[in-house]
Amino acid sequence: MGRAFVYVILGGGVAAGYAALEFARRGGYSRGELCIISEEAVAPYERPALSKGYLLPEGPARLPGFHTCVGANDELLTTKWYKENGIELVLGTKVMAADIRRKTLLTATGETISYKNLIIATGARALKLEEFGISGSDASNICYLRNLDDADKLVNVMRSCSGGNAVVIGGGYIGMECAAALVTNNIKATMVFPENHCMARLFTPQIAEYYENYYTSKGVTFIKGTVLTSFEKDSTRKVTSVILKDGKHLPADMVVVGIGIRANTSLFEGQLLMDQGGIKVNGQMLTSDGSVYAVGDVAAFPIMLFDGVIRRLEHVDSARRTARHAVAAILEPSKPRDIDYLPFFYSRVFTLSWQFYGNNIGEVVHFGDFTTSSPSPRFGAYWVDKSLIKGAFLEGGSREEYEAISNVVRRKVKVANIAELEKQGLMFATQESQKDIPDGGLVLSEKPMFVWHATAGVIAAASIAAIGYWYGRRRRRW
């Protein structure tokens, strides 16, 4: 037995919801021709909410309040919306095999689903400690965070640990967000990671120092340059302490692991071209097969701003925009247009808020006040490569100021004098933004406006390479 659709979206995350909304607005399909297949039991939702508002001790975010596409100040797509728009939700369904040549998907129940066009939106999965030779992460008080089930477990464990100790493994996105959530829930948090500072893939040492000092003032402890090697457990198999490489024991009523993610590509390996750990696509998000598209975390696509260099971006803004672009390419094949995406990352943590645009390559030029004593900090950095601004970071900016820094990055504004740029700081961007913008203009990324965005968070994945290096050394040694 099987079913046939014209369009199948495989995956039920952020990208799936935004693709569905784009289909509905553009038309081009009839009732029953489009479906979303998802392993999760609920309609697509805004995944960033899980590490922010979902973890609040009071007034937490809950479904249906953060289904897509509210993260972009757009419609709330409940199951009722999908039904009204003739889109079939195939939920709680795992696809075990894909046959690109035959255009079929085989589910765990043995059903075959065929398609004319496939959009791969399978996202990524959280890396597990076992992949680095550390056993025991099946303990009931060890938490990961990638989907709704993970978030529910984390909430329940936090409730049982109020006033206790938590160890956070990883100094990237999930680690920073969860550490902030833990202290907000009256749990002492200690962060452990192998890098020299937090957010090593994005932050400079100077930027990281500011946030580490701020987190410390909120009760977070940092242990850097090392990794865990094992756990101590009680008779119920719960973790009671984390043992580090130097032999130090950290008391732990719970452990949160955030050591990076890996794109879900296994169904398509050997069938589609891969790059950067994901599925390679062109500027229309089209894979090496003419009927298959890939979007979101799983897609490696050319960044025009980086002269066409292929990148795989792990960020909600990229998922939203690549999904919309793929649908436009499918429904308007006579109007091919390559995606022109400006890489964008943001965070709102405690009372802080930052945005980053572009690429962090070249010479770094810091500006502003980096002292934690300021009640309204405003500081940032430019990345200058070959006398051109390639990236920009700003903490504490207004909407107009964030638009200004994105403007100078997109335009690759030329810098004549580094010393003068440092002296002018943010004023350089605001003055440049008042000049004429070339045809095509600035395409601004959405700015999240909902309350569940505003708690904890720092964007960028943990350094998987560093984690792998340290854990790899342990496996070889022991």
Side-chain angles (χ1 to χ4, degrees), residues 58-76:
E58 297 180 6
R62 290 293 182 266
L63 291 174
F66 60 92
H67 281 298
T68 55
C69 298
V70 296
N73 300 317
D74 215 319
E75 289 190 60
L76 179 70

Side-chain angles (χ1 to χ4, degrees), residues 202-281:
L202 176 61
F203 286 0
T204 67
Q206 185 170 341
I207 292 174
E209 182 181 15
Y210 177 89
Y211 291 103
E212 288 179 8
N213 288 339
Y214 191 92
Y215 267 62
T216 299
S217 74
K218 297 295 183 180
V220 178
T221 300
F222 289 87
I223 299 179
K224 300 176 282 188
T226 189
V227 293
L228 84 158
T229 57
S230 59
F231 301 109
E232 281 187 345
K233 298 181 180 180
D234 62 16
S235 59
T236 67
R237 303 296 297 165
K238 282 188 175 181
V239 171
T240 57
S241 70
V242 172
I243 304 173
L244 302 184
K245 184 174 179 290
D246 60 6
K248 187 174 183 179
H249 289 226
L250 302 177
D253 297 296
M254 63 179 293
V255 177
V256 180
V257 181
I259 53 176
I261 61 177
R262 181 161 292 157
N264 291 318
T265 62
S266 60
L267 289 172
F268 306 99
E269 290 172 6
Q271 300 187 80
L272 300 174
L273 291 179
M274 302 286 161
D275 200 348
Q276 303 296 308
I279 298 172
K280 186 177 182 178
V281 298

Side-chain angles (χ1 to χ4, degrees), residues 105-399:
L105 305 171
L106 179 65
T107 72
T109 61
E111 180 183 17
T112 298
I113 296 177
S114 63
Y115 60 84
K116 182 178 178 181
N117 288 109
L118 175 66
I119 297 179
I120 302 170
T122 48
R125 62 174 179 81
L127 287 168
K128 300 297 179 70
L129 289 173
E130 282 82 357
E131 298 177 63
F132 300 102
I134 307 296
S135 62
S137 68
D138 57 343
S140 61
N141 59 341
I142 295 182
C143 302
Y144 293 84
L145 186 57
R146 187 63 188 171
N147 56 37
L148 198 60
D149 289 342
D150 293 338
D152 285 336
K153 177 181 177 179
L154 179 55
V155 167
N156 291 332
V157 174
M158 284 197 301
R159 286 173 178 168
S160 69
C161 294
S162 182
N165 297 291
V167 176
V168 179
I169 307 301
Y173 165 47
I174 291 299
M176 295 293 282
E177 293 216 334
C178 288
L182 287 163
V183 295
T184 301
N185 281 272
N186 191 35
I187 300 171
K188 294 183 284 292
T190 299
M191 296 187 67
V192 178
F193 48 87
E195 297 89 355
N196 293 326
H197 60 76
C198 69
M199 298 294 293
R201 289 177 59 185
L202 176 61
F203 286 0
T204 67
Q206 185 170 341
I207 292 174
E209 182 181 15
Y210 177 89
Y211 291 103
E212 288 179 8
N213 288 339
Y214 191 92
Y215 267 62
T216 299
S217 74
K218 297 295 183 180
V220 178
T221 300
F222 289 87
I223 299 179
K224 300 176 282 188
T226 189
V227 293
L228 84 158
T229 57
S230 59
F231 301 109
E232 281 187 345
K233 298 181 180 180
D234 62 16
S235 59
T236 67
R237 303 296 297 165
K238 282 188 175 181
V239 171
T240 57
S241 70
V242 172
I243 304 173
L244 302 184
K245 184 174 179 290
D246 60 6
K248 187 174 183 179
H249 289 226
L250 302 177
D253 297 296
M254 63 179 293
V255 177
V256 180
V257 181
I259 53 176
I261 61 177
R262 181 161 292 157
N264 291 318
T265 62
S266 60
L267 289 172
F268 306 99
E269 290 172 6
Q271 300 187 80
L272 300 174
L273 291 179
M274 302 286 161
D275 200 348
Q276 303 296 308
I279 298 172
K280 186 177 182 178
V281 298
N282 65 13
Q284 288 90 51
M285 311 310 296
L286 182 66
T287 70
S288 53
D289 183 278
S291 62
V292 180
Y293 296 74
V295 297
D297 289 354
V298 78
F301 64 99
I303 307 295
M304 292 177 64
L305 190 68
F306 302 167
D307 299 322
V309 171
I310 299 293
R311 288 286 178 89
R312 188 176 64 82
L313 301 176
E314 300 167 358
H315 189 262
V316 64
D317 184 68
S318 173
R320 293 167 180 160
R321 291 181 178 274
T322 55
R324 291 168 171 166
H325 197 85
V327 174
I330 291 170
L331 297 180
E332 296 185 349
S334 62
K335 301 178 181 179
R337 181 174 61 89
D338 286 345
I339 189 169
D340 186 8
Y341 182 67
L342 173 61
F344 163 59
F345 301 89
Y346 68 86
S347 168
R348 297 190 180 171
V349 53
F350 300 114
T351 60
L352 304 176
S353 176
W354 61 256
Q355 293 184 20
F356 171 84
Y357 293 88
N359 199 5
N360 57 340
I361 61 170
E363 182 178 354
V364 183
V365 180
H366 295 96
F367 61 85
D369 180 10
F370 281 82
T371 61
T372 55
S373 59
S374 173
S376 301
R378 182 173 301 180
F379 61 84
Y382 299 108
W383 281 259
V384 181
D385 184 48
K386 299 178 181 178
S387 299
L388 303 177
I389 290 183
K390 296 295 183 69
F393 174 100
L394 178 62
E395 164 65 46
S398 66
R399 177 178 174 83

Side-chain angles (χ1 to χ4, degrees), residues 390-467:
K390 296 295 183 69
F393 174 100
L394 178 62
E395 164 65 46
S398 66
R399 177 178 174 83
E400 292 74 22
E401 288 166 341
Y402 286 129
E403 290 177 0
I405 66 167
S406 65
N407 184 347
V408 296
V409 173
R410 177 172 285 280
R411 292 169 54 197
K412 297 183 181 179
V413 171
K414 186 175 180 62
V415 175
N417 187 302
I418 290 292
E420 186 63 26
L421 176 65
E422 182 176 16
K423 180 180 178 181
Q424 286 187 297
L426 180 58
M427 186 181 298
F428 177 86
T430 56
Q431 290 178 346
E432 284 291 331
S433 69
Q434 297 171 4
K435 298 180 180 179
D436 291 338
I437 299 176
D439 289 343
L442 176 65
V443 179
L444 297 176
S445 299
E446 295 103 346
K447 307 299 187 295
M449 300 294 290
F450 290 81
V451 66
W452 45 263
H453 278 285
T455 306
V458 181
I459 300 302
S463 175
I464 298 172
I467 295 282

Side-chain angles (χ1 to χ4, degrees), residues 82-101:
Y82 289 97
K83 185 175 181 179
E84 290 175 347
N85 284 274
I87 300 173
E88 187 163 346
L89 291 176
V90 184
L91 303 177
T93 300
K94 182 177 178 64
V95 171
M96 304 299 294
D99 190 323
I100 296 298
R101 185 176 62 83

